[in-house]
Amino acid sequence: MKPLRFALTPGEPAGIGPDLCLLLASQPQPYPLVAITSRDLLTERAAQLGLAVTLLAVTPGQLPDQPAPAGCLYVWDTPLAAPVQAGVLNRANGPFVIETLTRAGLGCLNGQFNGMITAPVHKGVINDAGVPFSGHTEFLAELTGTEQVVMMLATGGLRVALVTTHLPLREVADAITGERLLRVARILHADLVHKFGLAQPRILVCGLNPHAGEGGHLGREEIDVIEPALAQLRAEGIDLIGPLPADTLFTPKYLEHCDAVLAMYHDQGLPVLKYKGFGAAVNVTLGLPIVRTSVDHGTALDLAGTGKVDTGSLQVALHTAYQMAETP
């Protein structure tokens, strides 16, 4: 059996992603892990942090089959467009960030990597560079030719997937269609089975409106859209409970008997998850033909180069990617 191998993208070069990669090098990994970034960037950041990390050069044609020794990090050198100062954004390096993601994503598609783990990017500076970019999730969907993907965050004892992701709130209700619900729920169910090894996953579904619409008095989306879609999915054998009021769904009474929650929009489900496990959570893109996980936090520009960063979320992202790739 061919050994597993993973790609790591540090994201925004002025943020804490390079710091996280260097700190990670002090800990042995079970599989080869290749940082796709600028060797010069890591060298400069290591000096700034006072870290002794040996950078081991690799190329697409000579990728490692064995994990790097502790204190070492494999690097697939990707040139910067401009020098980097920790904590200071530079739009000139927007295309550099896109190139690292492209190399990792295509590497997963062609079998060089069994999964990719991403550190945070800065969406604003990428767009300022003239590259339309709404997030890792959407970018990787386009790169892999995937029509529909699902964003899911997970921490100890809780998984939350989203029907809609990065939309203005006023557009959410119109975006929640029966067709979209069917696609998202099917992807969530399939990946819980095939990538997380859950034979019969149970999914709780949030309503869109307060009190799940209060029988139509607080909105009809539950009656007209959500309930018919859930009925069709149940007929397909998917175990769904809901729609339930979101303000009571996130309680032990319900959560102790489920494997995932399907929330209607970003700020309905993610504040609860991040309150429960911020810094120890992982972002997973479901529906892709590849494994992709990410940290649950942003670029933290104010902490870049200070040594005051926590690798907890990156550790969870790594171990989740490993587990997903190991699932038969």
Side-chain angles (χ1 to χ4, degrees):
M1 180 179 175
K2 187 178 178 180
L4 299 181
R5 184 190 301 120
F6 296 85
L8 173 63
T9 58
E12 168 53 47
I16 64 171
D19 308 49
L20 292 171
C21 294
L22 291 164
L23 290 168
L24 192 70
S26 67
Q27 305 155 11
Q29 299 297 320
Y31 301 110
L33 183 65
V34 177
I36 302 179
T37 187
S38 163
R39 182 185 179 92
D40 290 343
L41 169 65
L42 293 182
T43 299
E44 292 168 6
R45 193 66 59 86
Q48 186 173 354
L49 294 169
L51 294 175
V53 178
T54 301
L55 303 179
L56 306 174
V58 300
T59 65
Q62 292 182 317
L63 292 172
D65 289 330
Q66 298 297 323
C72 300
L73 180 65
Y74 292 122
V75 180
W76 176 356
D77 189 32
T78 306
L80 290 161
V84 172
Q85 180 181 344
V88 180
L89 295 172
N90 186 341
R91 71 181 65 181
N93 281 319
F96 158 81
V97 176
I98 296 299
E99 178 63 17
T100 64
L101 296 176
T102 301
R103 288 183 174 187
L106 294 180
C108 289
L109 283 176
N110 65 28
Q112 291 174 306
F113 302 110
N114 299 90
M116 60 185 287
I117 300 94
T118 60
V121 296
H122 192 287
K123 300 183 185 73
V125 78
I126 295 174
N127 282 280
D128 288 344
V131 182
F133 184 86
S134 57
H136 280 109
T137 303
E138 296 83 358
F139 175 82
L140 291 172
E142 183 176 354
L143 183 71
T144 60
T146 306
E147 182 178 350
Q148 178 74 54
V149 294
V150 176
M151 178 188 291
M152 183 179 80
L153 269 75
T155 190
L158 180 62
R159 300 183 183 97
V160 177
L162 303 176
V163 176
T164 62
T165 53
H166 300 122
L167 286 179
L169 191 56
R170 66 173 61 251
E171 298 177 16
V172 167
D174 290 340
I176 298 173
T177 63
E179 181 182 1
R180 186 173 195 146
L181 273 169
L182 292 173
R183 291 200 309 264
V184 169
R186 287 168 180 156
I187 290 169
L188 173 59
H189 172 81
D191 274 11
L192 288 174
V193 172
H194 299 297
K195 292 183 179 176
F196 288 87
L198 301 172
Q200 295 291 332
R202 170 169 286 195
I203 301 166
L204 301 182
V205 181
C206 296
L208 171 65
N209 297 295
H211 301 176
E214 196 78 74
H217 295 288
L218 294 176
R220 292 193 55 84
E221 285 83 3
E222 286 76 13
I223 295 172
D224 296 339
V225 179
I226 299 174
E227 290 177 0
L230 299 189
Q232 182 174 338
L233 292 162
R234 290 187 188 103
E236 298 172 9
I238 298 178
D239 190 352
L240 300 163
I241 301 171
L244 297 171
D247 63 344
T248 54
L249 179 155
F250 290 101
T251 57
K253 171 185 175 182
Y254 292 107
L255 293 180
E256 64 187 13
H257 300 296
C258 86
D259 296 296
V261 173
L262 183 58
M264 293 294 127
Y265 58 95
H266 188 281
D267 281 13
Q268 181 182 58
L270 297 194
V272 181
L273 183 134
K274 292 193 176 185
Y275 176 77
K276 176 178 173 62
F278 190 72
V282 58
N283 186 341
V284 184
T285 305
L286 305 179
L288 293 173
I290 64 175
V291 169
R292 180 261 170 167
T293 66
S294 182
V295 296
D296 69 344
H297 54 74
T299 55
L301 295 168
D302 58 321
L303 297 179
T306 68
K308 300 176 181 178
V309 299
D310 186 343
T311 62
S313 182
L314 181 58
Q315 294 281 8
V316 177
L318 283 166
H319 292 304
T320 301
Y322 299 159
Q323 291 167 1
M324 291 172 70
E326 290 166 350
T327 300

